[in-house]
Amino acid sequence: MDIKKLLFVTKFNDLCFDALQSILTLRKASLNHVVFVNVIQREKVAMHRGLGYQKIEEIRLRETANIRFIDWAENLFEQGLEVGVYIVVGNLVTQVFEATRKEGADLIVIGRSQKHFLDQLYSGSNIIELIRRTAVPVFVYKPMPDKIDFLDKPFQRPLLAIDWSAASLRAEEYLRPLTGVVQQVHVIHVVQEKDLKSDSAMSIQKFRKDTRKKLERICDQMAGVGIDARAHVYIGETVKEIERAARECQATMIVMGSSSKANWVQRWLGSVPQAIAEKSDFPALIVPPVMAPETK
Amino acid sequence: MTKKVLVVDDDPDVRLFSTAVIEENGFNPIEAENGEEGMQLLKLEKPDLVILDVLMPRESGVRMFRQIKTNPKFAKIPVIILSGITKKSFLRSQKALTEFGGAEVPEPENYLEKPVEPEELAAAIKSALS
């Protein structure tokens, strides 16, 4: 599962060239191709009464995006990278999904806007829809708070949240080839308090020990490819504890498998990956299970 | 026999413009949307000239140019680069790929930065095919 080609999806206000630069550390693994994607929302150029389809506005938006991409592409071409570009009108999720399929990308990079609630809600829901529809891992880039300067290399020290699902185990497999990019991985499993409702301290300790042992096995696999890995067991509410662990371990991002919940449950009740992708301060890499519903 | 000119560009407007110039000057245009499709047509149609964009989906002009110039079968086909990417960046990209272990490639026969006037393109085509 090498990351050779990534799709960099930008609206320009959420994800700029500095974000891309920080991800280019993936070149040390196998990244050699970056595809820029800008989706012009249909509403911006749609038919208006008395005006018709706003072709001139479409041209203006396309050329604005093109000028930016040319500048970025020149920089990447000069570094010996292969670069592609899509500037398209339509629905963000559909167009990104389509570009991913055409390009055979290994990773989708998308930003989370922090402008205001509605914008966040809009881009947030796009992210989750994208994660739901694709078999390709999605990296949700977040603007870095100034005081946390170690976040400028997001792949350096990831926190891998394991829930033993196929997707979370695939997330571990996804990190393993990134030797040289990933320096240290903190592998965490969050135990729910309800799982510890036992009548003896011994059985609780045994539960913890077993969980820890399983995590250590993952750490050993990481160590086998030269990545230092530490196991941690946290107890409590999953999202809060993952976030807490990320802070305590000074993680540079959170990596996890996408939810196996049914679509309608995920939409209405939310999920842990959704909460991490949308609300966490940390960049998040969400890895879907191998067989995503619409990519096969 | 009418000479064939392969136009490789993802922008349909540019392809339309280029093919019109090619036809007006008595040549036969062939179109491709990206480098991958361009290489397929190159092998199939054996054009006399390639007009190549740089920034395209699937396969860029940087890679396609390399494939043309490093393949003895196609190396002699003249290539005009028609792109928004500057010539300096294009040449630097080729240099970087050579440094990463790729073969050395010559400069393209002509380099035109977009936008280009029809007369300028026509002159470049005629010069490359002469």
Side-chain angles (χ1 to χ4, degrees):
Chain A
M1 274 208 290
D2 287 340
I3 307 174
K4 288 183 180 164
K5 188 187 278 195
L6 69 79
L7 226 65
F8 190 78
V9 184
T10 178
K11 288 192 270 180
F12 300 109
N13 58 358
D14 55 342
L15 211 53
C16 277
F17 197 66
D18 57 338
L20 180 62
Q21 291 280 33
S22 72
I23 300 161
L24 287 185
T25 51
L26 289 172
R27 286 192 76 187
K28 285 184 195 159
S30 45
L31 179 72
N32 61 19
H33 195 153
V34 175
V35 181
F36 297 124
V37 180
N38 174 248
V39 181
I40 300 165
Q41 289 161 36
R42 209 183 291 280
E43 309 87 80
K44 287 192 176 171
V45 290
M47 292 276 208
H48 284 270
R49 189 170 289 176
L51 291 172
Y53 184 76
Q54 299 185 73
K55 186 71 185 166
I56 293 169
E57 180 63 2
E58 185 198 323
I59 291 169
R60 193 188 66 78
L61 290 169
R62 273 184 189 276
E63 287 312 310
T64 307
N66 197 30
I67 287 167
R68 285 178 168 141
F69 283 156
I70 283 175
D71 194 51
W72 296 2
E74 283 184 344
N75 194 313
L76 298 190
F77 274 134
E78 288 179 20
Q79 294 180 47
L81 281 157
E82 170 72 326
V83 189
V85 66
Y86 288 82
I87 303 169
V88 283
V89 177
N91 170 273
L92 185 112
V93 175
T94 309
Q95 294 299 335
V96 171
F97 178 72
E98 198 52 30
T100 307
R101 196 186 54 77
K102 279 186 194 162
E103 293 286 337
D106 306 301
L107 177 68
I108 299 167
V109 180
I110 192 161
R112 181 196 64 172
S113 175
Q114 286 200 326
K115 291 246 159 175
H116 47 72
F117 175 74
L118 278 178
D119 194 17
Q120 216 177 77
L121 188 73
Y122 172 74
S123 59
S125 58
N126 275 339
I127 290 165
I128 294 308
E129 185 69 9
L130 197 58
I131 291 167
R132 190 182 67 76
R133 285 179 63 176
T134 179
V136 176
V138 177
F139 180 58
V140 184
Y141 190 91
K142 317 270 176 74
M144 311 301 177
D146 292 339
K147 55 188 177 204
I148 310 177
D149 57 352
F150 58 81
L151 284 178
D152 65 351
K153 287 179 187 152
F155 282 83
Q156 196 173 44
R157 211 164 36 249
L159 179 109
L160 172 62
I162 293 278
D163 64 358
W164 315 118
S165 66
S168 76
L169 297 175
R170 189 177 175 228
E172 184 264 321
E173 284 171 23
Y174 198 74
L175 287 180
R176 243 187 284 161
L178 302 180
T179 322
V181 181
V182 173
Q183 284 181 0
Q184 187 178 53
V185 180
H186 290 275
V187 187
I188 173 190
H189 175 69
V190 180
V191 180
Q192 310 264 324
E193 278 181 24
K194 65 177 166 58
D195 295 331
L196 297 176
K197 276 180 186 154
S198 171
D199 47 7
S200 78
M202 181 74 102
S203 63
I204 292 175
Q205 285 301 325
K206 189 175 180 307
F207 184 80
R208 183 200 157 272
K209 193 176 163 188
D210 290 346
T211 307
R212 176 92 190 190
K213 214 179 251 177
K214 279 161 81 181
L215 291 176
E216 289 293 354
R217 273 201 288 273
I218 291 174
C219 292
D220 290 345
Q221 284 172 337
M222 291 274 183
V225 294
I227 298 173
D228 179 29
R230 310 281 165 91
H232 308 272
V233 179
Y234 276 65
I235 298 162
E237 197 267 302
T238 312
V239 175
K240 274 189 193 158
E241 293 305 314
I242 290 174
E243 185 86 16
R244 188 199 308 273
R247 287 189 192 286
E248 287 177 356
C249 300
Q250 293 205 324
T252 48
M253 71 168 170
I254 296 169
V255 184
M256 63 194 311
S258 66
S259 176
S260 55
K261 281 181 186 175
N263 292 339
W264 69 271
V265 178
Q266 196 165 323
R267 277 189 187 193
W268 291 102
L269 303 176
S271 67
V272 175
Q274 179 173 355
I276 294 292
E278 288 180 350
K279 292 175 190 143
S280 168
D281 289 335
F282 289 87
L285 175 65
I286 311 292
V287 181
V290 181
M291 298 290 281
E294 294 185 38
T295 43
K296 293 283 164 186
Chain B
M1 209 172 107
T2 317
K3 288 187 172 174
K4 291 181 199 171
V5 181
L6 172 62
V7 179
V8 188
D9 201 306
D10 60 323
D11 186 339
D13 292 340
V14 175
R15 286 203 306 274
L16 190 69
F17 165 80
S18 301
T19 51
V21 172
I22 292 162
E23 277 172 341
E24 272 174 25
N25 286 276
F27 305 115
N28 183 16
I30 315 158
E31 295 176 50
E33 284 183 20
N34 55 60
E36 206 175 85
E37 206 183 296
M39 278 313 291
Q40 284 169 6
L41 278 176
L42 189 86
K43 287 170 192 164
L44 207 71
E45 299 279 349
K46 298 181 182 64
D48 301 282
L49 169 68
V50 178
I51 299 176
L52 182 61
D53 184 19
V54 175
L55 191 54
M56 294 179 288
R58 295 189 74 108
E59 187 180 288
S60 74
V62 169
R63 299 288 158 124
M64 184 175 167
F65 180 75
R66 229 158 217 280
Q67 288 187 59
I68 297 171
K69 293 301 176 187
T70 54
N71 186 334
K73 271 190 198 168
F74 310 125
K76 285 189 179 158
I77 298 174
V79 177
I80 298 172
I81 303 283
L82 175 59
S83 176
I85 300 282
T86 61
K87 184 178 181 183
K88 205 159 90 178
S89 281
F90 179 81
L91 296 180
R92 277 184 188 158
S93 72
Q94 294 297 349
K95 197 176 157 207
L97 289 172
T98 304
E99 281 166 6
F100 283 132
E104 192 120 1
V105 288
E107 285 193 19
E109 278 66 17
N110 207 334
Y111 202 105
L112 303 173
E113 276 182 38
K114 286 177 185 172
V116 71
E117 294 298 326
E119 299 77 22
E120 200 182 349
L121 180 60
I125 293 168
K126 282 178 192 163
S127 159
L129 289 173
S130 64

